[in-house]
Each structure stands twice: as C-alpha cells, then as structure tokens.
Amino acid sequence: MADCRYGLNGDENLVLEALALRFKIVAESHGEFAMVYFDTFDWRLHQAERRLVEVRQNGKSSSELCQVDGTLLASGGGVPRFAWDFPPGPMRQILEPLVEMRALLPVARLHGRRALHAVLDGREKTIARIEFFAPEVEGADGSRLALRQRLIVHCLKGFARAARRLCRFLEGRCGLTPLREELFAESLTALGRRPGEYSSKIDLSLTASMPAAVAVRQILRHLFQTLRLNQPGVEDALDSEFLHDFRVAVRRTRVALAQFRTVLPAREVEHFRHEFAWLGTLTSPARDLDVYLLGFPKFQAGLPPAERDDLVPFRRFLERHWEREYQQLTKQLRSPRYVRLLSNWDDFLQRPEDPEATPDGMRPIAEVVARRCWKIYRRVLREGQAIGPQSPPSDLHELRKTCKKFRYLMEFFQSLYPADRIGRLIKALKGLQDHLGAFQDLHVQVETLRRFSQEMAEEGEAPAATLLALGRLVEGFDRRQGEVREEFSERFSSFAVEENQQVCRALFKPQAREPA
C-alpha cells in the first residue's frame, strides 16, 4: 500500500489528540529539513513518471527514487551529477537507462519542518508512521514560498489493513481529505514552472491556409528559443546534450532558411545563412570530443579485457582537449559577433511580417511545403538509386544530408498532415538515416582516431600500448564500415518501398496532395 497524503489546514495537535483516542502515538523525531527534486533538463524522469528527491537533514543526505504515487523504488546517498556515478545497485540500475548521458539537475529546492510519530495498536505494535510536513519552496531569488501543510501516512509492510483503518479514522473523525496534488507539482506551480516545459521536439500547430511567411517565422522563433534555452548549459558544460540540442537548433535554422528563400527577404536570408553556418562550425570541435568521450566505454569494450586499460591515456587526451575546446567555445559565445548575431536575429524575427514582400510569402504554407518536400523526396530517391557498390563514401554522406533536410521539413510541418501517414514516413526515413549515420560515423572515426594517434605522439602522451590499442580500434571500425556499406542496398530499398512512395505521392505531389 502506497503512502497516503492529506492536506492539513488546522493545528497538528488537534489531529494528534483525536488520534490518541483510538491509537497510541509515540513521537520519534522532529526538526528542520531541506530537500531537492532532481530531473534532467528535458524532464526524462517526469516523462517516465518517476521522482528523484534528495533529503538533507541533520548533516546527512539521502535520496529516494519513487513512482508518482509515492511507491519507493530505490534509495541511496546524495544525488551525483550523473546516474552512472551512483554506486552499483537498484538506484543506478533504474536511472541509467532512463536519463542516459543527461545530468541530474535540481528543479525545486524545499525547506521546512517535519515531525514523525509512530502509530501503535492495542498490542503495542507499530502499524504505521505519520509525518507532519510544513514545506516551503525556494524561489530563484532565495525567497521562500509556503506550500500546503501535509500529513503523510507511511504504510508499513504487513500492516496494509491497519493503515487503511487509520486512514478512514483520519478522514471520518478528523475531517481530513486526501491530497491529490503532488508536492512536486505544487512546488513547480509555485515557482511558475511546468513539468515537461522543455523538449527539443518541434510541436507547433500550424494550419494549411496560413501564409507561408507567417508559418516559417513561427518555426524559426521556436528554434531560436531552443537555442537560447540551451546556451547556459553549453557554457557551464552541464552535459553533452545541451550542445547537441544547441547544434540541432542551428542546423534546423539553416535548413529552414535554405528551403524557404522565396518566403523570407532574400538579402537577410543570405546574411543569416552565412552567420548560422559560422555558428555551426564553431560548435563542431567540442561536439566531436563529446561524442568520443561518450563512446569511450564502448571503445574499451571493443578490446580484449587485458588491453582495455591501455586506452586510459587516450581518455586523458580526450578530456584535456575537451576542456580546451569548451573554453574556446564559451569564449566565442561571448564574442561581439555572436552577440550581434543573436540581437539581429531576434530583431528580424520580432519585426512585423510583410508576406507580400516575397514571391511565396502569401502562398498557403501547405502548398509551399508540399512543393519543397516533393522536390527533396525525389532527390532522396535519385541519390539513393545512383549509389552502387563502387560509389565513394561521399555519395552516401550527400544522401545522408539530403535525408536530414527531408526529415526536418516533415518534422517542422507534421501538424499539416495526417499523423499516421507523416509518422510512417518519418519513421522509415529515420531508419535509413540511422544506417547512413552509422556508416558516416565509422568512416569519420577511422580518420579521426588516426589523427588523434598522431597528435598524442606529437604531444609526447602516446605510450606504445595505447597506439596499438587505437590501431586495433581502427581495424575494427574499418571492418565494420565495410559490413555496413554492404547493407546499404537493403536499407535503402526498405525506405523506397512502394507503400512509402504512395504515401509521399498522396501527401506531397502537388496535384494529388490531401489537405489535413
């Protein structure tokens, strides 16, 4: 039986006096407390209906991972930044697959007073514990906002029936009513926040008849908001996904500008395309090192156990360069050029729209998008069908880039199309993209590991055993690249099946397109 929670509007002594008529109440502990709710920046625990809270009391820290109904799943000590830093056990086992590489960040800090009492039956057995709980949530400026006082009935194993009797007594004799709102939700509401308020996914409701210039600016504003939300996490290097989402927002912005040049003012589009290309290039070195550090455990696992420690100097090399690249990136994100780009971009997006000033600005967005999607879809087919056994890796990379543009367009405007059909296409394209991405990653890793080996040697940080281990990895990646390359034809055929082609024709081909 999960814990039961009640709102407490009156004096807790009145409740204790009423309980004493039926049960024996023994005070166990009381005092001040501090507690912190944790989640990832993109709310992965909330999405999984999990709550992670750290309680600090009497100089000690403990943590609990619960379901939203309060059922305890795991407990441990203080909450580290990453799930993999928990000691081996249930807490780490549950959290790691949920949050992966994302940092556990405080989302609400609470303070207050709590008092714990044991409830005993006539045989002097403890059947439950009750906790009087008076919390306050800490605002961004350090001020404290009082939340509703609570009484929590902690049910004990083997005493579910007795706990239910206790709850009925509290509701009937003391007039308490069960509290439906979680402390977590009440805390966030008091802070003006909303669980799940950030997602890197694009979820905009557009209408087919909307002028193209209006719809495209909505997309660009959303991407700009994503970029700005992630920038502080990039500068503080909280986890690798801040930079990943920052880069995706930049890349999507570049694709939107390139695909809708006839919808927005041409001169400004060219200027911003150039500036966002600069920004994308700026972020590449730090992201590359993020990827290698995230992949390091797999690199080690790819070697015989006796040789895995030979890669430790390589990890130190990556960490040293990672720190240097993030410092350089942070410096650039404070440069006059970057500040000017954001200011000018914000002005451009806030400026009143003039759809009539561009060739396609006044056209219905559904018409413009269908035309672009149909053109890029046919390019995907053309490029994919042209790839044969002897085609160079650059041909597959070009196809990958075309697929990415097609996918971004579908994701931007998926609200214009039936969810099942557009979802089917996005899923099929993602499968092809994953395959092309795996091939490109292996191709790049072979080249990059060779370069890293040379740089380590030049820096005098390359033990012979480490270089041999890196050589083994290169051989493995090279071999795997060949295997992935041989699978391309089958993967492309899976995407280009007649069923998918029919959906594309129905959604995007101008004369046959079906409005949502």
Side-chain angles (χ1 to χ4, degrees):
M1 181 176 173
D3 292 348
C4 300
R5 291 167 169 75
Y6 297 93
L8 193 64
N9 298 319
D11 188 339
E12 63 187 58
N13 288 325
L14 295 177
V15 176
L16 288 172
E17 289 171 6
L19 283 170
L21 297 174
R22 175 72 65 87
F23 306 95
K24 183 176 182 179
I25 308 299
V26 178
E28 290 192 328
S29 64
H30 69 278
E32 304 292 323
F33 74 90
M35 57 189 289
V36 184
Y37 281 105
F38 287 84
D39 207 330
T40 63
F41 185 67
D42 53 0
W43 301 94
R44 296 186 183 196
L45 293 181
H46 170 70
Q47 289 168 4
E49 299 187 337
R50 299 289 185 268
R51 303 284 182 258
L52 176 63
V53 61
E54 181 182 86
V55 178
R56 298 162 186 167
Q57 193 169 18
N58 301 325
K60 296 181 180 178
S61 294
S62 60
S63 57
E64 291 185 347
L65 178 66
C66 302
Q67 297 179 166
V68 290
D69 66 359
T71 302
L72 181 66
L73 298 174
S75 58
V79 176
R81 176 183 286 190
F82 294 102
W84 56 61
D85 290 329
F86 275 105
M91 181 74 88
R92 178 170 162 180
Q93 191 175 357
I94 297 171
L95 282 176
E96 268 199 273
L98 287 179
V99 304
E100 299 179 294
M101 72 293 286
R102 296 242 59 164
L104 296 165
L105 303 174
V107 295
R109 299 178 186 276
L110 283 79
H111 308 267
R113 176 183 56 81
R114 67 199 312 176
L116 192 66
H117 301 263
V119 181
L120 284 62
D121 62 10
R123 295 176 296 169
E124 297 288 314
K125 283 187 176 294
T126 301
I127 60 169
R129 286 188 168 82
I130 58 172
E131 181 177 1
F132 293 96
F133 196 73
E136 297 175 324
V137 65
E138 183 179 313
D141 60 356
S143 61
R144 295 185 181 185
L145 305 168
L147 304 177
R148 186 184 299 187
Q149 292 186 41
R150 293 155 189 264
L151 187 156
I152 305 171
V153 176
H154 296 289
C155 304
L156 303 181
K157 189 175 181 181
F159 292 93
R161 184 179 299 175
R164 280 194 286 273
R165 282 202 306 272
L166 173 60
C167 290
R168 284 197 296 271
F169 184 87
L170 287 168
E171 294 168 20
R173 190 64 174 267
C174 302
L176 301 185
T177 54
L179 199 57
R180 303 299 178 196
E181 186 177 27
E182 272 188 276
L183 180 60
F184 175 74
E186 188 182 351
S187 304
L188 291 179
T189 301
L191 294 172
R193 301 190 63 183
R194 179 174 55 82
E197 61 195 356
Y198 171 79
S199 171
S200 62
K201 294 180 180 176
I202 295 177
D203 185 18
L204 296 175
S205 294
L206 305 173
T207 56
S209 59
M210 184 181 285
V214 176
V216 171
R217 279 176 184 263
Q218 278 197 27
I219 298 287
L220 292 172
R221 287 192 194 103
H222 178 86
L223 295 173
F224 188 38
Q225 177 72 354
T226 300
L227 184 149
R228 289 199 292 197
L229 287 172
N230 280 284
Q231 183 178 332
V234 174
E235 292 176 324
D236 293 338
L238 293 177
D239 68 40
S240 60
E241 298 312 283
F242 285 98
L243 180 56
H244 174 266
D245 286 2
F246 183 95
R247 279 170 55 80
V248 170
V250 171
R251 200 159 52 229
R252 284 172 166 166
T253 299
R254 293 175 59 197
V255 167
L257 288 172
Q259 295 300 315
F260 297 105
R261 280 175 288 191
T262 57
V263 169
L264 301 171
R267 187 173 60 84
E268 287 166 297
V269 164
E270 288 309 309
H271 167 71
F272 286 120
R273 283 186 67 194
H274 181 264
E275 289 302 285
F276 278 107
W278 164 75
L279 183 55
T281 303
L282 202 68
T283 59
S284 293
R287 176 59 188 168
D288 289 347
L289 288 161
D290 273 339
V291 170
Y292 281 96
L293 282 168
L294 287 170
F296 187 81
K298 286 187 178 177
F299 293 164
Q300 277 192 310
L303 294 172
E307 298 178 16
R308 289 173 185 170
D309 284 347
D310 294 342
L311 277 185
V312 172
F314 177 53
R315 182 179 182 93
R316 287 199 294 266
F317 167 85
L318 292 173
E319 290 172 339
R320 196 166 57 249
H321 283 257
W322 177 90
E323 189 170 343
R324 190 182 307 164
E325 291 299 339
Y326 260 85
Q327 287 175 353
Q328 183 63 23
L329 175 57
T330 301
K331 185 178 176 183
Q332 290 294 329
L333 293 181
R334 295 167 185 168
S335 68
R337 182 175 179 178
Y338 178 75
V339 172
R340 190 166 54 248
L341 167 59
L342 260 59
S343 175
N344 292 342
W345 185 235
D346 193 26
D347 288 345
F348 174 75
L349 295 178
Q350 296 299 330
R351 194 182 310 160
E353 291 142 357
D354 184 10
E356 296 181 358
T358 57
D360 289 333
M362 280 298 292
R363 290 183 184 276
I365 185 61
E367 178 185 324
V368 176
V369 170
R371 195 171 64 211
R372 295 306 308 166
C373 283
W374 182 244
K375 185 173 182 179
I376 293 185
Y377 165 68
R378 286 187 298 166
R379 189 190 304 168
V380 169
L381 291 184
R382 193 166 58 247
E383 291 179 356
Q385 289 164 350
I387 291 175
Q390 304 306 319
S391 298
S394 58
D395 285 3
L396 281 84
H397 186 47
E398 285 303 311
L399 173 61
R400 183 190 181 207
K401 291 196 292 186
T402 305
C403 288
K404 193 169 288 186
K405 293 171 187 172
F406 186 33
R407 180 172 164 191
Y408 285 169
L409 281 182
M410 289 195 289
E411 289 176 342
F412 289 162
F413 300 102
Q414 56 188 305
S415 62
L416 300 178
Y417 300 99
D420 57 340
R421 290 186 168 189
I422 198 74
R424 174 196 174 106
L425 282 183
I426 291 173
K427 184 178 179 182
L429 186 63
K430 185 175 182 300
L432 177 59
Q433 275 187 283
D434 288 346
H435 183 77
L436 292 167
F439 177 79
Q440 179 65 15
D441 289 347
L442 289 163
H443 180 69
V444 170
Q445 281 171 345
V446 168
E447 298 300 320
T448 306
L449 287 184
R450 286 177 177 148
R451 178 167 57 82
F452 283 160
S453 298
Q454 185 176 348
E455 290 177 5
M456 289 182 72
E458 290 170 357
E459 294 176 12
E461 298 286 343
T466 302
L467 294 179
L468 286 171
L470 288 171
R472 277 182 175 270
L473 288 178
V474 168
E475 287 176 7
F477 292 154
D478 208 19
R479 186 168 54 251
R480 178 62 187 146
Q481 185 186 358
E483 294 168 356
V484 173
R485 178 67 178 81
E486 290 179 2
E487 297 167 3
F488 169 76
S489 179
E490 181 183 342
R491 296 301 184 96
F492 181 75
S493 296
S494 295
F495 168 73
V497 294
E498 179 57 28
E499 290 88 343
N500 288 340
Q501 294 198 37
Q502 287 177 2
V503 175
C504 276
R505 283 194 291 271
L507 295 184
F508 307 134
K509 194 173 181 180
Q511 67 272 24
R513 179 175 51 81
E514 296 177 0

